[in-house]
Amino acid sequence: MKRRDFSAAAAAVAAPLVLPGIARAQAAPAIKMMIPANPGGGWDSTGRALAAAMQAAKVVSNVQFDNKGGAAGTIGLAQFINAAKGDPNALMIGGMVMVGGILLNKSPVGLDQVTPIARLTTENLVVVVPAKSPHKTVGDLMNAFKANPGALSWGGGSAGGSDHILIGLMARATGGDPTKVNYVAFKGGGEAVAAIIGGHVAAGVSGLSEFSEHIKSGRMRALAVSGDAREEGVPTLREQGINVVLGNWRGVFGAPGITPAQRDALVNLVRTATETPAWKESLQKNGWQGWFLPGDQYKAFIDEDIKRVGGILESLGLVKK
């Protein structure tokens, strides 16, 4: 046999042994992503931004979304626990809102039943009123609350979440009663925006990114941000005499029952996505702060945050010991 013929024959024999393995290593998975909220809110924006970054990094082939709002995300959480068990290609968005909602609602499902993959972001909250509101400052708003708590309604995300907690902390810091807050919880950001702009609630709280375009258009008036520095020209609570600082974190979880190797593969997939220009552009566009924390470190953070949020809710009289 000639040398050239021998080489061709050898290649033909070797190809079936090598190429399938290479193809498997390069095959990007299709991801199923549970977003346990209605479209238009922070979890929805975070999930879709993460999906876009994963696709930009070519670490996933496509992403299928399932929005399931209600009860601080615990309806979506329950569905994810039941339907995605053992699925290495399933992800769910969640965060501080879910921690508080689980505690406040005494949910039968919890974050200990899913697999922590990575903490992603933190974001400051903003206090707004409708454009025609008589309340020009956050001091005006809190004085009105103290004078007649029940008459002043607040719109925000799920009960017990970061929006609700911020209002309770503001009430306590200004000498009001946190247990008398007239809080209206919405399943999605779109519903909250409509209620605030329409004047159906007196004030609203959410992540700055969710209200930013409506503030800029003049349909909402921003009174304060919850961080330690001004954002988009909006003064902080602290500089207006209300000693409260609060951030709202978001992250991503894997399904129950996946193996450590499958968990690590998802951590690496998400880490790769958060290093892309697409993800960094989303951070800047939405006013999010990157706050990546992977795997076991993320789990430890969640365990501590459950204690922290539980303590706050108890101190505000929203959860009984």
Side-chain angles (χ1 to χ4, degrees):
M1 182 181 288
K2 294 180 180 179
R3 182 178 181 83
R4 183 176 60 188
D5 295 336
F6 177 81
S7 298
V13 172
L17 301 176
V18 177
L19 292 180
I22 294 173
R24 282 195 299 271
Q26 293 177 342
I31 294 292
K32 296 185 285 273
M33 185 177 293
M34 165 61 71
I35 299 177
N38 289 354
W43 285 348
D44 188 60
S45 299
T46 302
R48 293 175 191 276
L50 179 62
M54 290 191 293
Q55 289 179 293
K58 296 183 173 24
V59 292
V60 303
S61 57
N62 62 76
V63 181
Q64 177 184 341
F65 300 99
D66 186 6
N67 284 81
K68 189 70 64 176
T74 56
I75 293 175
L77 173 62
Q79 179 175 310
F80 185 73
I81 289 169
N82 291 327
K85 186 175 182 180
D87 186 345
N89 296 324
L91 291 173
M92 181 191 74
I93 299 295
M96 180 182 169
V97 170
M98 189 177 284
V99 171
I102 287 169
L103 295 169
L104 187 65
N105 297 316
K106 296 182 173 59
S107 171
V109 292
L111 292 177
D112 59 334
Q113 293 172 265
V114 291
T115 305
I117 300 300
R119 188 182 66 190
L120 297 171
T121 64
T122 185
E123 179 183 23
N124 292 323
L125 305 173
V126 63
V127 182
V128 300
V129 292
K132 295 181 180 179
S133 170
H135 309 303
K136 305 299 183 185
T137 69
V138 74
D140 293 342
L141 184 65
M142 298 316 295
N143 287 335
F145 167 74
K146 287 190 290 182
N148 191 348
L152 197 145
S153 56
W154 303 79
S158 301
S162 54
D163 305 342
H164 196 178
I165 286 172
L166 180 66
I167 298 164
L169 291 174
M170 289 167 58
R172 186 174 68 184
T174 54
D177 185 349
T179 65
K180 294 184 178 179
V181 169
N182 180 7
Y183 189 74
V184 182
F186 295 98
K187 292 181 180 179
E191 296 174 14
V193 166
I196 296 163
I197 291 175
H200 304 300
V201 291
V205 173
S206 189
L208 182 57
S209 65
E210 295 180 48
F211 289 166
S212 182
E213 67 176 280
H214 308 294
I215 295 167
K216 290 174 182 175
S217 72
R219 289 180 291 178
M220 292 181 184
R221 182 186 306 128
L223 302 183
V225 290
S226 67
D228 53 13
R230 288 189 174 209
E231 287 190 73
E232 298 184 10
V234 183
T236 67
L237 289 167
R238 270 188 172 170
E239 69 181 280
Q240 298 180 79
I242 301 175
N243 190 24
V244 173
V245 175
L246 186 71
N248 177 31
W249 65 267
R250 299 184 183 112
V252 63
F253 300 84
I258 60 174
T259 67
Q262 290 168 336
R263 189 280 306 262
D264 291 346
L266 287 173
V267 169
N268 289 333
L269 184 153
V270 172
R271 187 197 304 273
T272 299
T274 61
E275 293 170 351
T276 62
W279 177 253
K280 292 171 184 175
E281 183 179 333
S282 292
L283 294 180
Q284 184 174 7
K285 175 185 174 183
N286 292 292
W288 302 332
Q289 301 166 44
W291 210 29
F292 186 84
L293 193 69
D296 290 336
Q297 293 169 274
Y298 179 39
K299 182 183 184 306
F301 167 81
I302 292 168
D303 291 343
E304 286 301 313
D305 206 57
I306 290 170
K307 296 176 186 176
R308 180 182 72 94
V309 172
I312 293 173
L313 291 172
E314 286 175 8
S315 73
L316 297 176
L318 300 175
V319 168
K320 303 295 184 184
K321 288 186 178 180

